[in-house]
Amino acid sequence: MRLEFGTFITPGSDDPERVVALAVLAEALGYDLVTVQDHPYNPGLLDAWTLLGWIAGKTERIRLAANVLNLPLRPPAVLARSAASLDLLADGRVEMGLGAGAFWPAIGAMGGPQRTPAEAVQATSEAIDILRELWDAGTRRSLRFRGEVYTVDGAARGPLPRHDIPIWLGARKPRMLRLIGRKADGWSVTYGFLPEGDRRGELRRGNAIVDAAAREAGRDPREIRRILNVTGTFLSERGDAFLQGPPAQWVDDLAPLAIEDGVSTFILMSDDGATLRTFAQEVIPALQERVGAALPASSDLLRPARVRAKRREGIAYDEVPASLRTAAVEPGDLAYARVRNTYMRGGAPGIVLKVSSVAEVQEALAFARRHPDLPFGVRSGGHGISGRSTNDGGIVIDLSGMNRIEVLDEAARLVRIEPGARWMDVAAALEPHGWALTSGDYGGVGVGGLATAGGVGFLAREQGLTIDHMRAAEIVLADGTLVRTSATEHPDLFWAIRGAGANFGIVTAFEFQVDPVSPQVGWAQFVMDASDLGGFLERWGAAVEAAPRALTSELIIGAPRRGQPLVAMVLALVDSGDPQAIVNALQPIADIAPLYQQRVVLTTYADVMANASREDHNGQGEPVARSGIVRHITPRVAQLAEELILNNGTYFFQIRSLGGAVNDVDPEAMAFSHRTGNFVLSAMGASRARLDAFWAPLQPHFAGLYLNFETDVTPERIAIAFPPRVLDRLRLLKARYDPDNVFRDNFNIAPAATIALGAAAPDRDEPVGTGAHEGHDHA
Ligand SMILES: Cc1cc2nc3c(=O)[nH]c(=O)nc-3n(C[C@H](O)[C@H](O)[C@H](O)COP(=O)(O)OP(=O)(O)OC[C@H]3O[C@@H](n4cnc5c(N)ncnc54)[C@H](O)[C@@H]3O)c2cc1C
């Protein structure tokens, strides 16, 4: 069994910085939780929420709670927002310790209500319901609640907390203990407040009441955490009094409370740094060891019955590593609706393991590997077009919390970026240095998925692909080892992850060499008449190919609308701050067709990328998208695209620029080897069959495809994404780095030994860098 430890700090207002320093010290010493008392009527104390917010900003890991919050002075609907707000800001570190109220005259003096003990219990019960209702990400309607104490008349939802905030109650009396058994996630009590002479007896009797009420309510008593506030003095000599002696005596005093009375969290009430340190260094490890030896892991805290009831088949939920438990999200959790779907695809995973360090990635991966028959997704930004970072009933490792961006070497323009960062944040972080890293056109996309496959964005013609800038990566391989890969360290792996990265492990950090960018760039948005669709596409393609490399453009066409002219949205970025150079670059594009609307501005690259919201993903259903790379928009390609669009084969058709710097790279340099195309076409369809019917005639004109714009994960598509020799090499490497095919739930490259059984032998004479059909498009 793993114990948890917290501190309890007096929030004195005479030296606020000392209070915060104690919390920071607690984090540095490895405590799990920092708590502060809440007596809002006491002029000598800092306000608990304000203080917790400040502590949250000064710490990174430690969890935060009031011990305990004064409910009568904090209306629950407001409390729900306070806690959710802080939980969001503090990245899921908030716990809710609630108290029904005491010191009633002081509460009255602050304008608070007076409550009988029975009313206080009722109020607490209703408050729990209101909090949980307002934190439920699965419901959108506003809350109406008619209780005996509280009425909530249409409270709007949101903000939602980052994680399911556990609610524990501070209590001593039977009525409140029964409420804990029925509803709460924890019981918190101060050992010194229990009747002197029979404190353990009182603790046992309290536990028995909680347990009986829990069973009566159909709960397992092990769902309810027992939290004990303790205080003492470290002395050199052993004595008879509780926690009055050397650290070894503290261990002797506390161990039975954990082993026999089920206490799983000890909170040390002390404002003395030395005491916190001695406890952390000399009591906690010894106590963990003693209790760990006496109690099996199965006596660990259980998730609430309401959560366990919604568990999916085949997942060993109770074996989730301890370090991942707090942040893991299961179908029964209130936060589940926030993490189940991706941007493009609806999902219902059995568990989402949110990780925040390499060690946690390794633990999560080991857990996933114990479930070889389940779907397994790796998520960074959740924007995968194929949507494989969610699934149905399987495991997802979510790296969104690993999102740091740092400059490693200013002179060499070397930056380190973690996979959970979003490209808009990358652009914003690089802007003060005068740099930009080519990525994509949408700031919400995550670094992990894009930078393992390609990266086609608004600087593509000038800077190439995102992967062309990668200089190293840290990757957790299928066997759990962390390796650094670069041109000189595991170079074959480095070759593979630049194009087929999702197949080889979980990248936990990338190093990129970035380029300077003009402080202001030209940014154009044109709405153009595309009635002459085929001709329009051809002219756009020719204009882009003739444009200077500083210009990168894309066009988007939606489904035609009856009675309305067909329009295209043309976007273009010119990396120049010179208005005349921008106009010169854009004019040939503006001339290809009548303009319905145009907007050209001087702005920053980071502003162009700041185009996404941070809302939770709410993709539904199965996306269908196809992609193909062409050298030129030839009359035939334009005609076939016209047929696709005009016959409603697609509701979203897009062409993006490749060419320029993309094609400067040696096709053999990395797994992404399509270095002759000038454009990548992509289309999304409402019907797979209909899209494919119109896509098939285009196929002979394609020189490969870009996996990140695809949803078809069949071997046939993978054989188009990677030319035969490349695929051959990838399969051999896959056999070496992921022989069990752990990373299979995406565009899977079968390990070499497996494919020998059935697939056609790769054509070794095919030069790397040419797709099977490349060269057909010279019409
Ligand atoms: C609105 C939108 C706009 C887009 N615009 C562009 C664009 O302009 N240019 C462009 O090139 N692409 C673009 N894309 C496609 C985008 O590159 C891919 O969808 C990419 O995979 C998204 O990365 P992610 O981390 O957000 O996605 P996720 O869904 O989190 O991941 C996608 C896949 O990548 C793999 N993966 C994720 N993280 C890791 C990791 N750390 N290590 C190893 N494998 C990992 C997994 O297999 C996962 O299924 C766009 C997508 C959307 C939805």
Side-chain angles (χ1 to χ4, degrees):
M1 184 197 195
R2 186 182 176 272
L3 299 174
E4 296 206 323
F5 296 91
T7 63
F8 178 102
I9 303 171
T10 312
S13 57
D14 50 341
D15 191 356
E17 282 177 13
R18 180 164 184 275
V19 178
V20 178
L22 281 172
V24 172
L25 175 68
E27 175 167 84
L29 290 171
Y31 285 86
D32 301 288
L33 187 64
V34 58
T35 73
V36 297
Q37 52 180 285
D38 180 40
H39 298 292
Y41 33 73
N42 186 332
L45 298 183
L46 296 166
D47 172 67
W49 276 122
T50 311
L51 175 61
L52 287 171
W54 195 263
I55 292 174
K58 300 276 183 187
T59 53
E60 285 184 359
R61 176 198 56 80
I62 199 161
R63 305 202 304 271
L64 316 151
N67 192 351
V68 284
L69 275 172
N70 187 292
L71 184 61
L73 288 172
R74 301 188 184 274
V78 178
L79 196 54
R81 289 200 175 175
S82 306
S85 305
L86 186 57
D87 196 57
L88 273 180
L89 293 165
D91 205 16
R93 293 191 280 139
V94 169
E95 304 208 352
M96 175 62 73
L98 268 188
F103 311 110
W104 293 101
I107 291 172
M110 296 293 284
Q114 299 297 297
R115 286 177 186 151
T116 64
E119 285 167 346
V121 174
Q122 179 63 23
T124 311
S125 171
E126 291 177 15
I128 294 176
D129 294 342
I130 292 169
L131 290 170
R132 290 206 179 121
E133 282 276 348
L134 284 172
W135 290 338
D136 186 352
T139 318
R140 280 164 191 259
R141 61 180 191 284
S142 55
L143 175 66
R144 292 188 191 285
F145 182 94
R146 296 239 174 280
E148 289 173 29
V149 180
Y150 294 113
T151 299
V152 177
D153 213 1
R157 309 250 156 199
L160 293 168
R162 179 83 67 205
H163 86 306
D164 274 20
I165 299 179
I167 301 175
W168 33 277
L169 305 183
R172 277 167 48 200
K173 302 276 172 53
R175 235 188 307 230
M176 196 60 90
L177 294 174
R178 282 197 288 275
L179 174 63
I180 292 170
R182 287 200 306 278
K183 282 192 178 171
D185 301 310
W187 171 31
S188 144
V189 67
T190 300
Y191 198 60
F193 290 171
L194 297 173
E196 205 174 342
D198 190 23
R199 292 200 165 110
R200 282 200 62 197
E202 188 75 0
L203 194 60
R204 260 182 224 145
R205 284 189 287 280
N207 267 331
I209 294 170
V210 171
D211 292 357
R215 286 197 193 92
E216 214 169 294
R219 304 179 69 195
D220 187 320
R222 285 176 300 164
E223 291 173 25
I224 301 160
R225 190 161 132 207
R226 319 296 157 122
I227 302 157
L228 195 65
N229 299 316
V230 297
T231 185
T233 315
F234 286 110
L235 303 171
S236 50
E237 298 295 322
R238 273 186 178 263
D240 293 335
F242 183 73
L243 303 187
Q244 300 293 324
Q249 182 189 327
W250 283 52
V251 176
D252 293 343
D253 287 346
L254 295 176
L257 292 165
I259 296 166
E260 293 160 27
D261 300 324
V263 174
S264 59
T265 304
F266 289 103
I267 297 196
L268 179 60
M269 306 169 78
S270 173
D271 296 321
D272 175 46
T275 302
L276 294 184
R277 193 180 301 277
T278 307
F279 188 78
Q281 292 171 350
E282 297 182 46
V283 177
I284 291 178
L287 193 56
Q288 288 280 25
E289 200 182 324
R290 174 110 41 110
V291 175
L295 293 178
S298 59
S299 48
D300 276 356
L301 210 60
L302 285 185
R303 301 300 309 278
R306 66 189 145 79
V307 174
R308 282 184 284 123
K310 293 198 176 163
R311 286 180 163 178
R312 303 287 300 261
E313 284 285 301
I315 298 183
Y317 288 96
D318 293 331
E319 290 166 28
V320 171
S323 61
L324 303 176
R325 259 179 231 158
T326 316
V329 186
E330 302 183 19
D333 283 322
L334 300 179
Y336 184 65
R338 308 192 64 175
V339 299
R340 60 184 297 176
N341 304 316
T342 62
Y343 187 88
M344 294 294 295
R345 186 177 184 225
I351 191 164
V352 176
L353 298 170
K354 295 176 142 205
V355 291
S356 53
S357 67
V358 169
E360 288 183 8
V361 172
Q362 290 167 317
E363 287 197 90
L365 178 58
F367 179 78
R369 288 208 62 169
R370 292 206 291 279
H371 301 80
D373 299 329
L374 291 185
F376 168 42
V378 175
R379 181 184 302 169
S380 287
H383 278 75
I385 299 279
S386 70
R388 259 56 203 176
S389 63
T390 189
N391 55 44
D392 186 7
I395 295 167
V396 171
I397 297 182
D398 181 335
L399 295 120
S400 55
M402 293 179 71
N403 53 20
R404 271 173 299 200
I405 303 164
E406 54 187 317
V407 175
L408 294 179
D409 184 335
E410 183 88 29
R413 298 192 304 272
L414 204 60
V415 296
R416 180 179 187 277
I417 306 179
E418 291 183 344
R422 307 294 182 105
W423 287 107
M424 59 186 166
D425 299 324
V426 174
L430 300 186
E431 185 182 81
H433 302 270
W435 304 335
L437 172 56
T438 179
S439 54
D441 66 353
Y442 190 64
V445 168
V447 169
L450 181 136
T452 42
V456 181
F458 283 126
L459 293 167
R461 296 182 75 239
E462 186 178 59
Q463 294 193 4
L465 303 176
T466 309
I467 50 177
D468 301 344
H469 291 257
M470 203 191 300
R471 297 294 172 261
E474 292 156 31
I475 179 166
V476 173
L477 299 175
D479 66 3
T481 50
L482 173 73
V483 298
R484 185 185 154 83
T485 176
S486 67
T488 52
E489 302 148 291
H490 304 284
D492 49 0
L493 183 61
F494 192 52
W495 174 87
I497 64 163
R498 289 172 294 161
N503 266 281
F504 288 89
I506 302 177
V507 177
T508 55
F510 300 88
E511 284 175 27
F512 296 104
Q513 188 166 34
V514 300
D515 282 349
V517 71
S518 169
Q520 297 240 283
V521 297
W523 171 234
Q525 292 160 290
F526 298 156
V527 179
M528 306 187 89
D529 180 4
S531 314
D532 160 29
L533 184 53
F536 172 82
L537 295 176
E538 257 187 84
R539 290 193 295 279
W540 175 81
V544 170
E545 283 195 52
R549 283 186 173 199
L551 178 141
T552 295
S553 180
E554 73 178 50
L555 71 76
I556 299 166
I557 300 176
R561 293 184 185 187
R562 199 186 293 267
Q564 290 183 19
L566 192 66
V567 294
M569 168 75 104
V570 172
L571 305 171
L573 187 141
V574 185
D575 180 14
S576 167
D578 173 6
Q580 195 52 53
I582 294 167
V583 170
N584 292 346
L586 289 172
Q587 194 62 54
I589 292 187
D591 289 342
I592 63 171
L595 280 165
Y596 287 120
Q597 274 179 30
Q598 61 142 322
R599 183 170 174 265
V600 182
V601 292
L602 267 176
T603 185
T604 65
Y605 176 73
D607 271 353
V608 175
M609 290 302 287
N611 55 10
S613 93
R614 292 180 196 274
E615 279 177 8
D616 299 328
H617 297 318
N618 199 21
Q620 302 291 321
E622 279 290 333
V624 180
R626 295 287 175 271
S627 113
I629 294 171
V630 294
R631 283 194 175 162
H632 313 287
I633 312 288
T634 61
R636 182 68 182 142
V637 166
Q639 182 201 345
L640 291 168
E642 176 176 318
E643 284 169 18
L644 165 73
I645 295 163
L646 296 185
N647 290 296
N648 284 310
T650 176
Y651 61 88
F652 182 91
F653 175 81
Q654 193 175 41
I655 311 182
R656 284 150 179 272
S657 319
L658 292 172
V662 176
N663 294 346
D664 291 346
V665 175
D666 177 357
E668 307 235 3
M670 58 189 84
F672 183 99
S673 49
H674 303 300
R675 301 294 182 170
T676 56
N678 282 303
F679 301 99
V680 53
L681 276 58
S682 59
M684 293 189 185
S687 147
R688 177 184 307 253
R690 192 162 180 82
L691 176 57
D692 280 343
F694 287 101
W695 201 252
L698 275 162
Q699 194 57 56
H701 301 271
F702 291 143
L705 62 81
Y706 176 38
L707 279 181
N708 267 358
F709 292 159
E710 260 295 321
T711 55
D712 184 347
V713 296
T714 58
E716 291 74 28
R717 298 301 285 170
I718 289 160
I720 298 171
F722 300 105
R725 252 179 67 190
V726 172
L727 193 53
D728 200 14
R729 185 173 170 194
L730 283 170
R731 285 172 171 164
L732 289 169
L733 290 171
K734 178 80 172 173
R736 183 178 340 146
Y737 286 104
D738 183 16
D740 300 329
N741 208 1
V742 173
F743 301 105
R744 67 188 170 279
D745 212 353
N746 208 328
F747 297 97
N748 188 219
I749 290 161
T754 322
I755 57 141
L757 298 174
D763 176 5
R764 286 173 186 279
D765 293 326
E766 186 79 24
V768 171
T770 55
H773 303 289
E774 193 166 18
H776 288 223
D777 197 30
H778 293 281

